[in-house]
Amino acid sequence: QLQLQVSGPGLVKPSETLTLTCSVSGASIENSIKYWSWIRQAPGKGLEWIGAIVYTGSAYYNPALRGRVTISVDTSRNQFSLSVESVTAADTAVYYCARQGETVFGVIGNNYFDPWGQGTLVTVSS
Amino acid sequence: EVVMTQSPTTLSVSPGERATLSCRASQSVRSNLAWYQQKPGQAPRLLIYGASTRATGTPARFSGSGSGTEFTLTISSLQSEDFAVYYCQQYTDWPPLTFGGGTKVEIK
């Protein structure tokens, strides 16, 4: 059964870089024709897609995050990671990782999210 | 960016009653729409994809319909475990993938 687990610090200072890792078990990132995604949810708010990566390292990002975000993949560890630079209080959120998409005739399509990791709250505060 | 709008924001329903949730897209997303359920303190869970296909494990009382810009999630007979927040998400035009603001289904 595919499972995703987020790890990383729960507190980050303003202007610093937030870094989280999602560990995947039950499937190989390298052998999956899927995207691996980050999504966040500010306290009491809705869901915001941050970006996604495929095992080759090709990544897509939400333009709203204005180039502050980098997603990387480590297939040897079956993990993918998120970095958000120059964080402010507005980046305080629960951060989720999720598998995105399904394989349709050998390409990734139907880009919904299933399953999701449990999420971790990251607070930006001095 | 495709903007997704959900209504109502809150829906008060008695157990056993029918609940109808709406989701509207700012442009056609064809049938590329998913619904998620989120309970307090938990990650969202996929309920419906392709506008109307139930995900594995989704009870039959959940049904999705619509295409283009107008979509509906119907819960035929609300059970206690169905009180939660529901989100729609489009996956036709990305990046970015976008979600609606959510509908909270609460006990009346």
Side-chain angles (χ1 to χ4, degrees):
Chain A
Q1 181 182 359
L2 178 64
Q3 292 187 315
L4 296 88
Q5 176 84 28
V6 181
S7 59
L11 182 64
V12 180
K13 290 182 168 56
S15 79
E16 295 189 343
T17 297
L18 176 166
T19 301
L20 297 172
T21 296
C22 183
S23 299
V24 178
S25 60
S28 166
I29 288 178
E30 190 171 22
N31 295 332
S32 298
I33 307 178
K34 301 284 195 298
Y35 291 110
W36 303 91
S37 298
W38 291 98
I39 299 148
R40 70 181 182 180
Q41 185 172 36
K45 302 297 184 181
L47 300 162
E48 179 181 34
W49 178 77
I50 300 171
I53 195 165
V54 70
Y55 74 95
T56 59
S58 294
Y60 298 87
Y61 299 107
N62 191 329
L65 291 162
R66 296 169 301 181
R68 296 192 297 124
V69 171
T70 302
I71 298 175
S72 59
V73 63
D74 185 342
T75 55
S76 66
R77 296 186 176 187
N78 219 33
Q79 296 175 336
F80 60 106
S81 297
L82 169 71
S83 293
V84 182
E85 301 174 356
S86 305
V87 297
T88 69
D91 295 307
T92 294
V94 175
Y95 286 76
Y96 297 101
C97 58
R99 184 178 63 178
Q100 174 188 320
E102 62 179 46
T103 308
V104 181
F105 300 113
V107 297
I108 308 173
N110 296 337
N111 287 285
Y112 52 81
F113 305 101
D114 182 48
W116 297 57
Q118 89 287 2
T120 191
L121 174 63
V122 178
T123 301
V124 178
S125 175
S126 55
Chain B
E1 172 176 327
V2 180
V3 177
M4 306 301 292
T5 303
Q6 291 186 242
S7 61
T9 303
T10 304
L11 186 61
S12 298
V13 186
S14 299
E17 289 189 341
R18 182 186 193 91
T20 302
L21 290 66
S22 296
C23 174
R24 174 177 292 176
S26 61
Q27 64 191 66
S28 176
V29 298
R30 303 196 296 272
S31 293
N32 296 321
L33 185 105
W35 289 95
Y36 301 88
Q37 177 192 66
Q38 186 178 35
K39 296 181 180 179
Q42 296 184 17
R45 177 175 77 100
L46 177 70
L47 288 177
I48 301 275
Y49 62 92
S52 62
T53 302
R54 281 187 293 274
T56 302
T58 300
R61 63 182 179 273
F62 290 89
S63 62
S65 63
S67 66
T69 62
E70 300 284 341
F71 300 89
T72 300
L73 175 69
T74 301
I75 312 171
S76 60
S77 176
L78 271 159
Q79 306 298 303
S80 58
E81 62 266 30
D82 301 335
F83 292 97
V85 180
Y86 294 83
Y87 293 95
C88 60
Q89 177 236 330
Q90 68 81 21
Y91 50 89
T92 279
D93 185 25
W94 71 290
L97 293 163
T98 51
F99 295 88
T103 292
K104 180 180 180 181
V105 177
E106 64 176 23
I107 300 174
K108 185 174 182 180

